[in-house]
């Protein structure tokens, strides 16, 4: 497996502000993803973070709202912009490891928007 | 795109009983089927996976079976213990392709002592 860290682990933010979440992996990865998980719900893919190029967004998610960067193979950021209470959720970074081709999740960031 | 259905949404068993969770998928190109366990307040953890070149895989008390013809796969937990209580997610993807897994809605397993 790998050590995947996310910062911050949780935050409470005001409506209209933005929050940037960081994800760092200690191993070589082939792919990085960002998910959202509402309480009691499944995992919803926001986007695939591509190294050095624009992320690939899933239906219902747009770059202006969720800008993503991936400057190198092991680091990515997700920004939640112009937040509203509906953005309150857990945001999870996930990676596919080069070593075994399996997918692992970071510890998540619990976001509350007031 | 891929569609994954997971049943049941809730499963309650007595300690020592077996538990079975079933998933179906729609895309015949899918060839990689992982299972994740998510305890309350924690991240999903990969517990077992199966690839389309095998029909069954076991790891101690857990096993996964795959029927590619019928496009369904199942998680089997034997001799359940209270610490098995969690939400379990199945997923399907095409490994080596775009490898973007589609997750089921999850099954909340409750093991009563």
């Amino acid at each position: 497996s790998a050590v995947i860290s996310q910062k911050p682990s949780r935050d409470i933010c005001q409506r209209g502000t933005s929050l940037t979440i960081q994800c760092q992996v200690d191993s070589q990865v082939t792919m990085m993803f960002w998910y959202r998980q509402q309480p009691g719900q499944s995992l919803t893919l926001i986007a695939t973070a591509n190294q050095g190029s624009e992320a690939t967004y899933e239906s219902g998610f747009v770059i202006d709202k969720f800008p993503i960067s991936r400057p190198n193979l092991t680091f990515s950021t997700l920004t939640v912009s112009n937040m509203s209470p509906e953005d309150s959720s857990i945001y999870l970074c996930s990676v596919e490891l080069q070593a075994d081709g399996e997918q692992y999740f970071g510890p998540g960031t619990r976001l509350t928007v007031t | 795109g891929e569609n994954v259905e997971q049943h049941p949404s809730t499963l309650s068993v007595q300690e020592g009983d077996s538990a079975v969770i079933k998933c179906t998928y729609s895309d015949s190109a899918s060839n990689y089927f992982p299972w994740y366990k998510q305890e309350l307040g924690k991240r999903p953890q990969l517990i077992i996976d199966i690839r389309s070149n095998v029909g069954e895989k076991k790891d101690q008390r857990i096993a996964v079976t795959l029927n590619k013809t019928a496009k369904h796969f199942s998680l089997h937990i034997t001799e359940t213990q209270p610490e098995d209580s969690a939400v379990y997610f199945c997923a399907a993807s095409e490994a080596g392709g775009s490898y973007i897994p589609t997750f089921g809605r999850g099954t909340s397993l409750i093991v009563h002592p």
Side-chain angles (χ1 to χ4, degrees):
Chain A
S1 61
V3 175
I4 307 170
S5 60
Q6 273 186 246
K7 290 194 295 187
S9 58
R10 60 178 62 224
D11 207 342
I12 301 173
C13 300
Q14 299 267 3
R15 181 196 298 259
T17 62
S18 297
L19 176 71
T20 295
I21 303 167
Q22 298 180 2
C23 177
Q24 178 74 55
V25 192
D26 72 343
S27 304
Q28 291 296 316
V29 303
T30 52
M31 301 185 78
M32 294 184 81
F33 307 99
W34 287 97
Y35 286 83
R36 184 171 72 183
Q37 187 176 34
Q38 308 277 18
Q41 302 295 314
S42 187
L43 299 148
T44 301
L45 182 63
I46 298 171
T48 302
N50 300 310
Q51 186 200 358
S53 64
E54 189 174 295
T56 305
Y57 290 85
E58 297 300 303
S59 175
F61 297 96
V62 295
I63 187 171
D64 290 346
K65 176 67 176 177
F66 297 101
I68 288 170
S69 77
R70 188 181 172 191
N72 58 55
L73 284 175
T74 59
F75 181 80
S76 179
T77 66
L78 166 74
T79 299
V80 186
S81 302
N82 188 24
M83 289 183 284
S84 66
E86 292 71 38
D87 295 319
S88 297
S89 188
I90 296 173
Y91 292 85
L92 293 145
C93 167
S94 178
V95 304
E96 178 193 281
L97 289 189
Q98 188 174 35
D100 58 17
E102 294 177 344
Q103 185 179 5
Y104 298 91
F105 286 86
T109 296
R110 182 180 295 273
L111 171 62
T112 303
V113 184
T114 60
Chain B
E2 176 67 279
N3 182 46
V4 175
E5 298 284 340
Q6 183 173 347
H7 299 280
S9 57
T10 305
L11 180 57
S12 183
V13 300
Q14 288 295 128
E15 183 177 1
D17 288 350
S18 295
V20 181
I21 303 170
K22 299 180 180 181
C23 290
T24 61
Y25 63 99
S26 61
D27 190 345
S28 58
S30 290
N31 56 12
Y32 176 63
F33 307 92
W35 286 88
Y36 292 85
K37 174 184 180 182
Q38 188 174 30
E39 297 176 19
L40 190 63
K42 299 192 175 180
R43 76 185 83 185
Q45 296 271 16
L46 178 67
I47 56 171
I48 195 168
D49 56 20
I50 191 167
R51 299 179 191 271
S52 60
N53 57 344
V54 297
E56 183 176 4
K57 183 176 179 181
K58 288 184 180 180
D59 183 3
Q60 300 182 343
R61 295 187 297 108
I62 61 173
V64 57
T65 58
L66 171 65
N67 183 327
K68 284 222 68 171
T69 303
K71 295 198 188 75
H72 66 72
F73 56 111
S74 301
L75 178 71
H76 304 252
I77 306 175
T78 58
E79 300 173 26
T80 54
Q81 301 167 3
E83 50 265 39
D84 295 328
S85 297
V87 178
Y88 291 81
F89 293 99
C90 65
S93 70
E94 183 184 359
S98 61
Y99 195 2
I100 299 177
T102 300
F103 284 85
R105 291 183 174 272
T107 296
S108 176
L109 173 64
I110 303 165
V111 181
H112 299 281

